[in-house]
Amino acid sequence: ELTITFGVGTDGPPTLDASFAFDWQSVDATVYITGSRITAWTFVPDWTNGIIERMSWKTDVLQSYDMREQRRALRIAPRKTIEFEAFFTAAERRYAESLMWGWGARNWALPMWYDGQELEATLPAGSTLINIDTTTRDYIAGSLAILLSDAFTFETIEVDSVASDSITLARPINIEWPAGSRIYPARTARLPDRVRVPRWTGDASGVRASFDVVEPIDYTANAGATTYRSYPVIDRRPNWSGGFDLDLQRKLAQIDNMVGIPEFEDESGLPAPLQRMRWTLTTRAELDAVRQMLYALRGRQGSGWVPTWTIDMIVTTTIDSSATAIDIEFMAYTSQINAATGRRDIRIELTNGTVFHRRITGASQLSATTERLTIDSALGQTIEPSEIAQVSFMALMRLDSDDIDMAYWTGSIAEVAVVMRGFQHDL
């Protein structure tokens, strides 16, 4: 007899699917070894302060003298960080602190909490097919998922393939899961080098967990169906609650010998607008659309047309269907702007929801109260001033940061705040 012991270390891929072949003179044999060597974080978060999903792209931005830009994306997909609070008491506290003590520096299987859902029917032991709605959720072939009842009752499973209404597993599940149990897509993630665990009593503690997802997470990139001059129009209306700011930032060079009068040079000749906006999303479809838009913008690398969403001019006379001139209430457009970059493209929204995008090609002042704008093409229909809900400027802009947070309050309600930055261009 010969006893052979197989050892499995804690480092390496999260799932085991290996074989060991014996080649003897008279007979051959193969030993199959399957299993999991990853520990799952099964402590359900406290949703009171939300769950933060941070997507971090990396962009190299080279800016010229006059504020034109060359931008390079340095990551194929963004890195992702998941932040949330969790609280423990009694046996769960002791279990949580033991795991953080012993497993803290290794990879965890982290549920994507905001993508969780309940099983509609009992899932028998030995099942390899789970019927769930996977649309807008982070299930992909080769990744992990977690069946979870409580911190002590869970099962980490490997996804073999994904359909819109089901997932197929690489191996059968071990135990029966009743209807109402929750299932989450999961990703491999790591805790930082320091984890603070506040203790409230002798048997109650908590943690502000911040997990860095190990693998890059790609997603469908789609800024929307509306385009203008070959670039997408970011036409999702922002949440005005609390207002949003507009900053005008100039590229000023200062020459100062510290004794005379300083000299200034406006290198670009125009300000770069910084527009802060916030979106409140209330359905899974809206969450999916905004994530696709963010992936299309790729942090600071991509760009799109962003309306100001303010009433930037008032049309005073009827616009004929073939007219390329629009009379507006005096606003010093002719003398101060006159089709400058960032203020030469407009969004005309009618009360019936129809939207036009046009470029201003010229301007003249007709009187002390009226200015006339020339646009690049007629609107194709006669429009009365009373039919216009809003005329807003549009600027070609990019995100001002590579790090974007989505703050979830439930699995289908979230907020996203961004800052968009304009730049010089020749479009």
Side-chain angles (χ1 to χ4, degrees):
E1 287 187 3
L2 176 65
T3 301
I4 298 176
T5 302
F6 294 92
V8 178
T10 56
D11 295 325
T15 57
L16 296 172
D17 189 0
S19 62
F20 193 92
F22 292 92
D23 184 11
W24 291 307
Q25 186 174 3
S26 57
V27 67
D28 295 335
T30 301
V31 175
Y32 295 96
I33 303 172
T34 61
S36 173
R37 57 175 160 197
I38 193 169
T39 293
W41 179 276
T42 58
F43 308 99
V44 177
D46 177 14
W47 286 83
T48 304
N49 293 322
I51 295 176
I52 303 297
E53 175 194 11
R54 177 171 300 115
M55 292 163 280
S56 299
W57 286 265
K58 190 167 183 62
T59 310
D60 180 27
V61 180
L62 301 176
Q63 192 176 80
S64 69
Y65 178 87
D66 64 354
M67 220 159 43
R68 285 173 171 79
E69 292 182 345
Q70 176 181 321
R71 302 186 299 274
R72 296 186 303 152
L74 302 181
R75 290 177 184 162
I76 296 174
R79 294 180 179 177
K80 184 175 287 191
T81 300
I82 310 296
E83 289 187 15
F84 56 89
E85 292 180 349
F87 297 97
F88 325 111
T89 58
E92 189 175 285
R93 180 193 69 82
R94 290 183 283 276
Y95 178 46
E97 292 190 12
S98 294
L99 288 181
M100 286 187 284
W101 182 280
W103 197 263
R106 299 188 178 98
N107 289 342
W108 300 74
L110 178 69
M112 300 291 100
W113 302 110
Y114 39 79
D115 285 342
Q117 57 197 305
E118 293 184 351
L119 297 177
E120 296 183 356
T122 298
L123 189 64
S127 299
T128 57
L129 181 70
I130 304 178
N131 294 312
I132 51 173
D133 179 12
T134 65
T135 57
T136 75
R137 290 177 168 86
D138 191 27
Y139 291 101
I140 63 169
S143 68
L144 302 175
I146 293 178
L147 288 158
L148 179 65
S149 178
D150 56 51
F152 302 96
T153 310
F154 65 93
E155 189 168 349
T156 304
I157 52 182
E158 184 179 0
V159 180
D160 183 65
S161 62
V162 181
S164 61
D165 59 352
S166 66
I167 59 172
T168 302
L169 308 182
R171 286 175 293 278
I173 63 171
N174 295 319
I175 62 175
E176 179 179 281
W177 289 91
S181 302
R182 294 191 66 80
I183 182 170
Y184 302 87
R187 291 287 187 164
T188 306
R190 297 181 67 91
L191 284 167
D193 57 357
R194 180 179 179 181
V195 179
R196 182 173 176 268
V197 183
R199 288 173 170 162
W200 312 113
T201 69
D203 210 14
S205 64
V207 66
R208 178 70 182 181
S210 178
F211 282 92
D212 293 325
V213 178
V214 173
E215 68 263 41
I217 300 181
D218 212 347
Y219 205 78
T220 302
N222 183 3
T226 305
T227 60
Y228 173 69
R229 295 181 176 268
S230 302
Y231 280 80
V233 178
I234 310 301
D235 55 5
R236 177 169 295 276
R237 194 178 297 274
N239 178 5
W240 270 92
S241 176
F244 59 84
D245 299 338
L246 171 67
D247 289 346
L248 299 177
Q249 183 175 348
R250 292 188 177 272
K251 192 168 182 284
L252 290 179
Q254 179 179 347
I255 302 173
D256 187 1
N257 61 9
M258 306 305 293
V259 293
I261 298 175
E263 292 288 337
F264 295 90
E265 174 70 20
D266 187 356
E267 295 180 348
S268 64
L270 295 170
L274 277 75
Q275 185 166 310
R276 291 170 173 82
M277 297 188 295
R278 184 174 70 253
W279 294 293
T280 301
L281 316 170
T282 58
T283 66
R284 293 292 309 184
E286 288 184 345
L287 289 171
D288 180 60
V290 168
R291 187 181 280 108
Q292 289 188 35
M293 179 193 71
L294 293 174
Y295 269 77
L297 291 173
R298 302 181 299 278
R300 296 182 295 164
Q301 200 268 331
S303 57
W305 296 97
V306 181
T308 62
W309 299 108
T310 54
I311 302 172
D312 292 325
M313 56 183 66
I314 301 295
V315 176
T316 58
T317 59
T318 301
I319 305 174
D320 188 73
S321 61
S322 59
T324 56
I326 300 176
D327 290 347
I328 64 169
E329 186 179 282
F330 173 78
M331 54 173 289
Y333 185 91
T334 304
S335 60
Q336 299 300 321
I337 300 175
N338 200 5
T341 302
R343 287 294 184 268
R344 64 187 177 190
D345 300 283
I346 56 175
R347 178 184 186 272
I348 304 171
E349 181 180 356
L350 306 186
T351 54
N352 64 7
T354 303
V355 173
F356 302 93
H357 302 112
R358 292 295 185 272
R359 169 156 289 183
I360 299 171
T361 57
S364 60
Q365 184 171 338
L366 303 182
S367 68
T369 59
T370 305
E371 294 182 86
R372 175 165 293 171
L373 308 179
T374 303
I375 56 176
D376 56 350
S377 63
L379 301 181
Q381 67 182 78
T382 300
I383 298 173
E384 299 294 334
S386 60
E387 298 179 277
I388 298 175
Q390 190 178 70
V391 180
S392 303
F393 289 120
M394 293 195 311
L396 191 63
M397 309 181 87
R398 61 167 173 83
L399 288 169
D400 193 44
S401 173
D402 282 326
D403 298 329
I404 302 297
D405 290 355
M406 294 186 73
Y408 293 85
W409 308 112
T410 70
S412 59
I413 299 177
E415 279 194 343
V416 180
V418 299
V419 179
M420 304 297 296
R421 171 183 284 272
F423 53 91
Q424 273 280 35
H425 58 84
D426 297 318
L427 293 177

Tab-separated table of all heavy atoms in Angstrom, residues 93 97 101 196-207:
chain	number	residue	atom	x	y	z
A	93	ARG	N	-20.645	38.204	15.928
A	93	ARG	CA	-19.500	39.084	16.155
A	93	ARG	C	-18.221	38.276	16.305
A	93	ARG	O	-17.180	38.600	15.709
A	93	ARG	CB	-19.727	39.939	17.414
A	93	ARG	CG	-18.563	40.896	17.703
A	93	ARG	CD	-18.656	41.494	19.086
A	93	ARG	NE	-18.418	40.491	20.111
A	93	ARG	CZ	-17.218	40.096	20.509
A	93	ARG	NH1	-16.123	40.582	19.950
A	93	ARG	NH2	-17.091	39.193	21.467
A	97	GLU	N	-15.069	38.528	13.655
A	97	GLU	CA	-13.736	38.955	14.054
A	97	GLU	C	-12.708	37.841	13.850
A	97	GLU	O	-11.541	38.112	13.524
A	97	GLU	CB	-13.760	39.424	15.508
A	97	GLU	CG	-14.553	40.726	15.683
A	97	GLU	CD	-14.386	41.337	17.061
A	97	GLU	OE1	-13.498	40.891	17.816
A	97	GLU	OE2	-15.146	42.275	17.378
A	101	TRP	N	-9.505	38.252	11.427
A	101	TRP	CA	-8.184	38.002	12.005
A	101	TRP	C	-7.395	37.004	11.159
A	101	TRP	O	-6.233	37.222	10.823
A	101	TRP	CB	-8.344	37.457	13.436
A	101	TRP	CG	-7.031	37.215	14.129
A	101	TRP	CD1	-6.207	36.133	13.971
A	101	TRP	CD2	-6.379	38.072	15.054
A	101	TRP	NE1	-5.088	36.241	14.749
A	101	TRP	CE2	-5.170	37.443	15.440
A	101	TRP	CE3	-6.703	39.295	15.627
A	101	TRP	CZ2	-4.290	37.998	16.353
A	101	TRP	CZ3	-5.827	39.845	16.549
A	101	TRP	CH2	-4.638	39.217	16.889
A	196	ARG	N	-10.780	48.934	10.727
A	196	ARG	CA	-11.177	49.419	12.054
A	196	ARG	C	-12.499	48.772	12.463
A	196	ARG	O	-13.466	48.781	11.694
A	196	ARG	CB	-11.301	50.940	12.041
A	196	ARG	CG	-11.673	51.550	13.383
A	196	ARG	CD	-11.604	53.057	13.330
A	196	ARG	NE	-12.052	53.658	14.570
A	196	ARG	CZ	-13.298	54.042	14.804
A	196	ARG	NH1	-14.213	53.902	13.860
A	196	ARG	NH2	-13.640	54.580	15.954
A	197	VAL	N	-12.530	48.208	13.673
A	197	VAL	CA	-13.723	47.525	14.180
A	197	VAL	C	-14.173	48.212	15.469
A	197	VAL	O	-13.699	47.869	16.562
A	197	VAL	CB	-13.438	46.028	14.439
A	197	VAL	CG1	-14.712	45.305	14.887
A	197	VAL	CG2	-12.873	45.368	13.186
A	198	PRO	N	-15.063	49.198	15.375
A	198	PRO	CA	-15.565	49.844	16.586
A	198	PRO	C	-16.378	48.866	17.433
A	198	PRO	O	-17.154	48.073	16.893
A	198	PRO	CB	-16.462	50.980	16.052
A	198	PRO	CG	-16.094	51.136	14.619
A	198	PRO	CD	-15.634	49.791	14.157
A	199	ARG	N	-16.182	48.910	18.744
A	199	ARG	CA	-16.929	48.050	19.654
A	199	ARG	C	-17.857	48.910	20.501
A	199	ARG	O	-17.419	49.851	21.152
A	199	ARG	CB	-15.972	47.242	20.523
A	199	ARG	CG	-15.272	46.153	19.720
A	199	ARG	CD	-14.215	45.441	20.485
A	199	ARG	NE	-13.735	44.259	19.758
A	199	ARG	CZ	-12.604	43.644	20.006
A	199	ARG	NH1	-11.821	44.106	20.964
A	199	ARG	NH2	-12.253	42.581	19.321
A	200	TRP	N	-19.154	48.525	20.486
A	200	TRP	CA	-20.159	49.350	21.172
A	200	TRP	C	-20.423	48.840	22.589
A	200	TRP	O	-20.695	49.616	23.497
A	200	TRP	CB	-21.451	49.345	20.365
A	200	TRP	CG	-21.193	49.628	18.905
A	200	TRP	CD1	-21.361	48.770	17.859
A	200	TRP	CD2	-20.683	50.835	18.342
A	200	TRP	NE1	-20.991	49.363	16.683
A	200	TRP	CE2	-20.576	50.633	16.937
A	200	TRP	CE3	-20.297	52.056	18.870
A	200	TRP	CZ2	-20.103	51.611	16.073
A	200	TRP	CZ3	-19.830	53.038	18.015
A	200	TRP	CH2	-19.743	52.811	16.635
A	201	THR	N	-20.403	47.529	22.757
A	201	THR	CA	-20.525	46.916	24.085
A	201	THR	C	-19.560	45.733	24.102
A	201	THR	O	-18.807	45.511	23.154
A	201	THR	CB	-21.962	46.407	24.347
A	201	THR	OG1	-22.232	45.289	23.492
A	201	THR	CG2	-22.999	47.504	24.087
A	202	GLY	N	-19.608	44.952	25.169
A	202	GLY	CA	-18.738	43.786	25.240
A	202	GLY	C	-19.082	42.715	24.229
A	202	GLY	O	-18.294	41.786	24.025
A	203	ASP	N	-20.248	42.809	23.590
A	203	ASP	CA	-20.635	41.773	22.638
A	203	ASP	C	-21.289	42.358	21.394
A	203	ASP	O	-22.134	41.714	20.760
A	203	ASP	CB	-21.597	40.775	23.298
A	203	ASP	CG	-21.460	39.384	22.706
A	203	ASP	OD1	-20.463	39.130	22.000
A	203	ASP	OD2	-22.361	38.551	22.940
A	204	ALA	N	-20.913	43.597	21.038
A	204	ALA	CA	-21.451	44.218	19.824
A	204	ALA	C	-20.356	45.059	19.180
A	204	ALA	O	-19.660	45.817	19.863
A	204	ALA	CB	-22.666	45.085	20.146
A	205	SER	N	-20.185	44.908	17.884
A	205	SER	CA	-19.186	45.682	17.161
A	205	SER	C	-19.672	45.930	15.739
A	205	SER	O	-20.749	45.461	15.339
A	205	SER	CB	-17.830	44.952	17.141
A	205	SER	OG	-17.928	43.737	16.431
A	206	GLY	N	-18.882	46.650	14.994
A	206	GLY	CA	-19.241	46.950	13.610
A	206	GLY	C	-17.985	47.185	12.793
A	206	GLY	O	-16.869	47.150	13.301
A	207	VAL	N	-18.177	47.425	11.512
A	207	VAL	CA	-17.046	47.686	10.636
A	207	VAL	C	-17.524	48.516	9.456
A	207	VAL	O	-18.669	48.374	9.002
A	207	VAL	CB	-16.421	46.354	10.143
A	207	VAL	CG1	-17.381	45.574	9.243
A	207	VAL	CG2	-15.114	46.600	9.405
